[in-house]
Amino acid sequence: MGSSGRPKVLQLGLVEHAHETWSSIGEIADIIVPKATNRDELIAECRSGAFDGVKVAYRTFYSVTGLVDTELIAALPSSLRFICHCGAGYDSIDIPACTDRSILVSNTPTAVDDATADLNIWLMLGALRNLSSSMTALRAGTWRGNPPPAFGHDPQGKVLGILGMGGIGRNMAKKALAFGMRIRYYNRTRLAEDLERECEAEFVDFETLLRESDVLSLNLPLNPQTRHSISKPQFAIMKKGIVIVNTARGAVIDEAALVDALADGTVSSVGLDVYENEPEIHPGLVTNPSVLLVPHMGTWTVETQTKMEEWAMGNVRVALAEGRLRSVVPEQKGMAEMWVGL
Ligand SMILES: *[C@@H]1O[C@H](CO)[C@@H](O)[C@H](O)[C@H]1NC(C)=O
Ligand SMILES: *[C@@H]1O[C@H](CO)[C@@H](O)[C@H](O)[C@H]1NC(C)=O
């Protein structure tokens, strides 16, 4: 509790859009903003006791925390029970380490689905058309380039294989239907029938997905099990000339193996929003004209950022009021009620 007798909330990262909602949290809790401008300073500030008594932390992807790993978690005050992360992907938070410390973590599912799938479609069409080289040529004053690029491809009638059929994957499927694509998917657990029917998607095994897709869209979360899901052995069985789109996390693909697969023609073109070591990008991708690249812009819109902030703040509010989270991460479902009533 703060000196006011109110609970304390630690703000890790900036509030950019949902200012009113954040003010309303400020009416029921003392919000503590760190002075630290980098990770080392933040850890020192934690250890100084500046955040003692904090119950809930609100965190954004771009906060100074860097990875929420064992080092940082050990420094955070023992009073901390909830981390409300503003983002759908939470690979930057070590969930088992939080679980060990009885800290519950939430993300912002559904809020990101439209924006991410929209960019996914844009990257897919751009990769099918091989637009990257002509866009560069135009700015260089050579119109379509000399010689002009080969003709691109239409999505109509092509098989779109979606790996990871969560909210974003299903949103992508529905949008791709409007482009006349045939949808197949692989998910570790097959979807319920109504969800499958809703996006007219056929369940296939992982190998079939790789073998028969014209376009492969990666929409699975990054965790230790999904790291490098697409690597040499997977490229080896793909349909020749496949187009790959990734708006999930860079490390679900082995980036070096992707560069090789582009070089030997296994993969014809790629649309990427995410990279293995952001903000660094493999030089073999940057220099390849068949690679369409954007710098992690999937949710970079006013509307979606606002929705994500609102969602994460909703978790802060429920944590304060009820001792639970609205969207606890799946790994912690079994312990979601541990702080209720305490
Ligand atoms: C894309 O265009 C560039 C430039 O013309 C070309 O080098 C590359 O092979 C093209 N890629 C595909 C998949 O057509
Ligand atoms: C996809 O598989 C994962 C892992 O088994 C599961 O948690 C998730 O619920 C599945 N997605 C859907 C929409 O059923």
Side-chain angles (χ1 to χ4, degrees), residues 61 85-92 116 168 218-223 226-228 246-255 272-276 278 296 299:
F61 187 79
H85 174 63
C86 184
Y90 50 91
D91 51 292
S92 59
T116 308
I168 298 169
L218 302 173
N219 299 104
L220 69 174
L222 174 64
N223 56 46
T226 63
R227 194 185 156 74
H228 286 191
N246 187 8
T247 58
R249 283 289 184 268
V252 301
I253 307 189
D254 176 345
E255 223 165 61
L272 298 175
D273 186 36
V274 289
Y275 308 89
E276 239 187 291
E278 295 176 16
H296 204 150
T299 59

Side-chain angles (χ1 to χ4, degrees), residues 164-167 170 187-192 195 330:
M165 204 59 156
R170 297 200 302 280
N187 193 65
R188 199 148 47 90
T189 308
R190 185 172 175 172
L191 266 57
L195 287 182

Side-chain angles (χ1 to χ4, degrees), residues 178-233:
F179 290 93
M181 301 188 83
R182 292 183 289 150
I183 317 295
R184 291 175 157 194
Y185 78 97
Y186 175 72
N187 193 65
R188 199 148 47 90
T189 308
R190 185 172 175 172
L191 266 57
E193 224 174 285
D194 55 327
L195 287 182
E196 239 178 42
R197 210 174 318 114
E198 215 175 88
C199 38
E200 296 179 36
E202 182 195 344
F203 179 74
V204 294
D205 61 55
F206 185 34
E207 216 178 289
T208 304
L209 194 82
L210 298 172
R211 262 185 223 292
E212 297 182 5
S213 295
D214 298 305
V215 179
L216 178 68
S217 176
L218 302 173
N219 299 104
L220 69 174
L222 174 64
N223 56 46
Q225 290 75 44
T226 63
R227 194 185 156 74
H228 286 191
S229 289
I230 303 296
S231 187
K232 257 193 171 19

Side-chain angles (χ1 to χ4, degrees), residues 130 133 147-151 268-269 289-290:
N130 192 21
S133 72
F151 289 104
S268 65
S269 58
S290 305

Side-chain angles (χ1 to χ4, degrees), residues 127-134 144-153 241 243 262 267-270 288-291:
L128 278 165
R129 294 285 189 103
N130 192 21
L131 287 180
S132 181
S133 72
S134 51
R144 292 186 186 123
N146 292 313
F151 289 104
H153 295 281
V243 171
L262 278 157
V267 176
S268 65
S269 58
V270 190
N288 189 321
S290 305
V291 178

Side-chain angles (χ1 to χ4, degrees), residues 138-161:
L138 180 140
R139 287 195 195 270
T142 61
W143 193 230
R144 292 186 186 123
N146 292 313
F151 289 104
H153 295 281
D154 295 326
Q156 284 78 15
K158 301 290 188 302
V159 173
L160 169 63

